[in-house]
Amino acid sequence: MAPTVDLEARFLAYVAAENKVEPKHWMPDAYRKTLVRQISQHAHSEVVGMLPEANWITRAPSLRAKLILLAKVQDEGGHGLYLYSAAETLGTSRDQMIDDLLAGKAKYSSIFNYPTLTWADMGAVGWLVDGAAIQNQVMLCRTSYGPYSRAMVRICKEESFHQRQGYEIMMHLARGTQEQKAMAQDALNRWWWPSLMMFGPSDDQSPNSAQSMAWRIKRKSNDDLRQEFIDKTVPQAEFIGLSIPDPDLKWNEERGHYDFGAIDWSEFFAVVAGNGPCNTERLEARRKAHAEGAWVREAASAYAAKQSARRPAAGLPAKPHAA
Amino acid sequence: MSTPDQWPLWEVFVRSKNGLSHKHSGSLHAPDAEMALKNARDVYTRRSEGTSIWVVPSSAIVASAPDEKEVLFAPSDDKVYRHPTFYEIPDEVGHM
Ligand SMILES: [Fe+2]
Ligand SMILES: [Fe+2]
């Protein structure tokens, strides 16, 4: 026992001193497991997160809007790839992670189990959902695991356009006709509370939070991140004349923060358990896309095999990350 | 869903516009070098990040071990005379 205790103590001191952990370093099994779970869930969220927005690509109201939406959805696919790669450095494989997702064994962010009913939802998703994601991801740029942290830095650079384009959509609608403004308000009404739930349950309800903080995987608590997000977002809503659907929301001079109403966690847990409006639809869409892409993957493999038979140096064996 | 054996992993290096060395950007799976290059272009250079890409099979990279860190790198820590600031040159000499 003694050597393990030593190693664990040394590991804790190492991350506490703001050092990065790299794939070949010794790490506690539980640290590795926590990261594999968190990073793969994060990757799945990027990939499943393409679906609610892809829903509007063919119906975007202008060519400009369509190009922007396409670029954003493509970015999210890239984010999924960066994150699957980061998880693979911990000894899992992308095929395994994708199999788990398609088998319904893996989780992804519950926010993507809500439907995108109108064009204004493209605004609300970019502004609020990407906004909340950014709040979390900026913190994760300083996470202790090197490959995860580097993926986050790259992702954060790409994310800021996502939020700005969403806010721009909301701003145009809010300044448009009565109907357009109503559409924007309706989208805000539907997305506000689920966006606040993206930060996860309150700190006293998240048993793993303290451990993640000690390992420096997480740097801020769920409640702190949520509060920061609310404080930033309320003035943005006011600026475009939309109102936050929370009668208890008000500035607290003493705290220097907004007070806000109680979150309905029963809704959150119901969606996590699979009973959200789109859980089945989202998984079905992923399974269909994977199945329908099978021939492309097979053709690419067959072509590569043929080429490497002609040029022996071209085909090289799989091996986990070396560096 | 007959999934072929997982495609090999490639490390992607991108040379930025200002003529610096290729720098590691990330990795991806691809069946062959040609697809690896195409995918690297789509994934790692969507915002004019580069003017040239290298893809290298991850299996071809040989890395130093973390526990050799001391042995490999500590010896250079006490060789301050390898840095220009070690030498005191009078201001009158001008920039050197
Ligand atoms: Fe993303
Ligand atoms: Fe995004």
Side-chain angles (χ1 to χ4, degrees):
Chain A
M1 270 324 270
T4 320
V5 173
D6 262 15
L7 282 171
E8 297 220 1
R10 220 194 301 162
F11 180 83
L12 274 179
Y14 181 81
V15 292
E18 301 297 335
N19 293 300
K20 295 281 186 231
V21 181
E22 296 296 340
K24 285 185 164 185
H25 292 177
W26 184 89
M27 60 187 90
D29 275 347
Y31 175 84
R32 185 186 298 274
K33 274 198 199 116
T34 300
L35 277 173
V36 168
R37 190 180 355 98
Q38 180 172 334
I39 302 173
S40 61
Q41 283 178 8
H42 197 158
H44 298 326
S45 302
E46 301 285 351
V47 170
V48 177
M50 291 193 277
L51 296 170
E53 291 180 301
N55 181 37
W56 280 91
I57 291 174
T58 56
R59 293 176 288 161
S62 68
L63 183 57
R64 176 185 185 272
K66 187 175 190 160
L67 286 172
I68 291 169
L69 192 55
L70 267 172
K72 179 186 188 290
V73 172
Q74 193 190 8
D75 272 356
E76 307 299 7
H79 297 173
L81 184 141
Y82 307 155
L83 287 160
Y84 284 127
S85 295
E88 282 185 300
T89 63
L90 292 157
T92 179
S93 76
R94 190 173 67 181
D95 287 357
Q96 182 61 53
M97 291 184 272
I98 289 175
D99 283 351
D100 287 348
L101 173 68
L102 299 182
K105 284 194 273 179
K107 289 204 170 68
Y108 54 86
S109 178
S110 278
I111 194 78
F112 302 118
N113 289 319
Y114 289 86
T116 45
L117 303 177
T118 69
W119 173 251
D121 288 19
M122 295 304 94
V125 166
W127 174 35
L128 303 172
V129 175
D130 287 78
I134 290 169
Q135 196 78 38
N136 189 40
Q137 290 172 162
V138 165
M139 164 192 79
L140 288 171
C141 288
R142 295 190 301 121
T143 195
S144 57
Y145 188 56
Y148 192 23
S149 150
R150 292 190 285 274
M152 280 301 129
V153 170
R154 178 172 286 277
I155 286 174
C156 284
K157 275 189 204 154
E158 301 186 352
E159 281 293 345
S160 101
F161 120 70
H162 296 181
Q163 193 184 19
R164 291 170 67 103
Q165 65 84 35
Y167 189 69
E168 191 195 68
I169 291 173
M170 291 302 258
M171 190 166 62
H172 286 159
L173 290 172
R175 290 173 178 172
T177 64
Q178 274 308 104
E179 287 88 346
Q180 286 171 324
K181 183 166 183 182
M183 194 192 272
Q185 183 62 55
D186 170 63
L188 171 56
N189 293 349
R190 284 181 291 107
W191 289 95
W192 176 253
W193 292 102
S195 298
L196 297 191
M197 294 177 200
M198 283 176 70
F199 297 99
S202 273
D203 303 327
D204 46 358
Q205 303 285 336
S206 333
N208 304 323
S209 245
Q211 181 58 266
S212 274
M213 299 273 258
W215 279 331
R216 296 291 200 275
I217 293 175
K218 253 174 97 94
R219 314 301 309 248
K220 287 176 180 176
S221 76
N222 295 352
D223 287 327
D224 286 351
L225 287 167
R226 184 165 21 243
Q227 183 73 61
E228 281 176 28
F229 173 73
I230 292 170
D231 291 347
K232 254 186 228 172
T233 310
V234 172
Q236 294 167 355
E238 279 167 2
F239 182 77
I240 52 177
L242 296 180
S243 45
I244 303 282
D246 177 358
D248 297 323
L249 185 86
K250 68 171 194 302
W251 179 251
N252 183 325
E253 194 67 59
E254 226 168 278
R255 290 204 309 129
H257 293 292
Y258 282 95
D259 289 338
F260 54 98
I263 293 172
D264 177 8
W265 290 110
S266 63
E267 174 182 328
F268 175 80
F269 289 113
V271 182
V272 170
N275 303 315
C278 301
N279 296 57
T280 317
E281 186 186 330
R282 298 296 184 232
L283 261 194
E284 278 307 310
R286 284 313 313 152
R287 288 191 188 123
K288 182 165 177 277
H290 196 72
E292 289 178 355
W295 72 270
V296 180
R297 296 192 296 278
E298 280 160 22
S301 294
Y303 180 77
K306 212 162 101 185
Q307 290 299 105
S308 77
R310 279 184 203 150
R311 274 182 299 143
L316 287 136
K319 205 192 140 193
H321 279 249
Chain B
M1 268 179 283
S2 78
T3 318
D5 284 347
Q6 177 146 299
W7 288 333
L9 193 64
W10 303 78
E11 300 301 325
V12 179
F13 298 82
V14 175
R15 185 203 295 283
S16 64
K17 272 190 289 193
N18 38 21
L20 300 173
S21 308
H22 286 76
K23 201 176 153 221
H24 188 237
S25 283
S27 50
L28 50 78
H29 289 280
D32 57 27
E34 205 182 326
M35 285 299 292
L37 261 186
K38 286 192 172 126
N39 291 344
R41 170 209 170 259
D42 285 347
V43 180
Y44 292 107
T45 63
R46 289 199 302 282
R47 289 176 174 79
S48 345
E49 287 93 337
T51 56
S52 158
I53 303 174
W54 289 348
V55 289
V56 180
S58 303
S59 59
I61 291 177
V62 181
S64 62
D67 47 359
E68 285 169 2
K69 202 173 129 202
E70 280 281 290
V71 186
L72 292 176
F73 308 112
S76 76
D77 288 350
D78 59 359
K79 297 181 176 57
V80 280
Y81 48 84
R82 287 178 174 171
H83 297 275
T85 44
F86 181 74
Y87 304 91
E88 270 179 46
I89 305 287
D91 286 350
E92 298 85 83
V93 180
H95 179 74
M96 184 183 279

